[in-house]
Amino acid sequence: MAVGVLALQGSFNEHIAALRKIGVTGVEVRKPSQLEAVEALIIPGGESTTMAKLAHYHNLFPALREFVSLGKPVWGTCAGLIFLANKATGQKLGGQELIGGLDCTVHRNFFGSQIQSFETELAAPKLAEQEGGSDRCRGVFIRAPAILKAGPGVEVLADYTIPSDKLRSVASDTEAEEAIAYSQGKVIVAVRQGNILGTAFHPELTSDTRW
């Protein structure tokens, strides 16, 4: 099985290395034609605005949307999660183009700047049910987004309770504040909907290959 990794910018090399650990061939994808040679796709973390500009330059968006609509497995981590969301908030002026397909609202850079990046333990019982091992996993959050709302067809795989001392420093626009209040201080950080998997954190930067 060949798994494509969108290689425009970001942590694509780390994903390819992680795939190698489980005996899967990772293929760098930079052009629409290269999607035809892979059976699944990972959209890695990185700088989402830059990735969107490069994807637009290479005319990748139509091919990526078709790939998703065909039901082929697609996983977005961090910036990749933003790309796959139907709606993104907290964007820079003018916004950015999205692939869509995942019925959720994602807040870009929800957890703040680079210096506010962090690691934490996450409860992930559904991951353990399917892949075995511990029902917890390590979450590496780097300028990370968060899912504020998820549609009825979206399965939540992990969420994160925001510590009280961090509540003031996380995203503070009205929609984010309402979502945090509604969920009693929690945000969603991993979901699955049909063929789409999304994580706000970076499993490829840990030794846990279950994701």
Side-chain angles (χ1 to χ4, degrees):
M1 182 179 184
V3 175
V5 183
L6 193 65
L8 300 175
Q9 189 262 350
S11 61
F12 58 91
N13 281 322
E14 288 80 359
H15 270 292
I16 289 173
L19 288 170
R20 193 179 300 121
K21 289 180 183 178
I22 59 171
V24 175
T25 301
V27 178
E28 294 182 11
V29 172
R30 294 185 177 88
K31 298 177 181 179
S33 60
Q34 293 171 320
L35 286 169
E36 298 172 9
V38 299
E39 300 167 64
L41 180 68
I42 295 172
I43 304 174
E47 212 296 312
S48 61
T49 304
T50 300
M51 290 171 66
K53 289 179 179 178
L54 290 169
H56 181 74
Y57 176 80
H58 291 289
N59 195 33
L60 269 162
F61 277 104
L64 289 168
R65 292 190 184 106
E66 181 182 15
F67 195 94
V68 172
S69 68
L70 289 173
K72 295 182 179 182
V74 181
W75 173 22
T77 64
C78 197
L81 168 63
I82 298 170
F83 267 85
L84 291 170
N86 285 346
K87 181 182 177 183
T89 64
Q91 300 193 70
K92 294 180 180 178
L93 186 64
Q96 68 179 68
E97 193 169 356
L98 303 174
I99 298 166
L102 185 58
D103 184 15
C104 65
T105 299
V106 173
H107 193 293
R108 181 183 181 274
N109 284 358
F110 178 86
F111 290 104
S113 65
Q114 188 81 18
I115 61 171
Q116 292 167 305
S117 301
F118 64 98
E119 294 186 32
T120 189
E121 291 291 318
L122 298 170
K126 292 180 181 178
L127 175 66
E129 285 175 15
Q130 184 164 327
E131 299 294 331
S134 170
D135 63 358
R136 303 189 70 81
C137 71
R138 193 71 178 161
V140 179
F141 292 82
I142 303 174
R143 291 183 64 194
I147 298 170
L148 303 182
K149 298 175 185 176
V154 177
E155 181 183 15
V156 176
L157 302 179
D159 56 28
Y160 173 69
T161 301
I162 305 168
S164 56
D165 61 340
K166 271 191 176 184
L167 277 172
R168 290 186 179 181
S169 64
V170 299
S172 59
D173 63 63
T174 302
E175 190 165 9
E177 289 177 346
E178 289 176 352
I180 292 168
Y182 178 77
S183 61
Q184 299 181 319
K186 291 183 179 181
V187 288
I188 301 166
V189 294
V191 293
R192 177 171 51 195
Q193 181 184 4
N195 60 307
I196 302 174
L197 175 68
T199 55
F201 49 95
H202 289 263
E204 79 281 4
L205 299 182
T206 73
S207 59
D208 188 345
T209 57
R210 293 177 297 167
W211 289 103

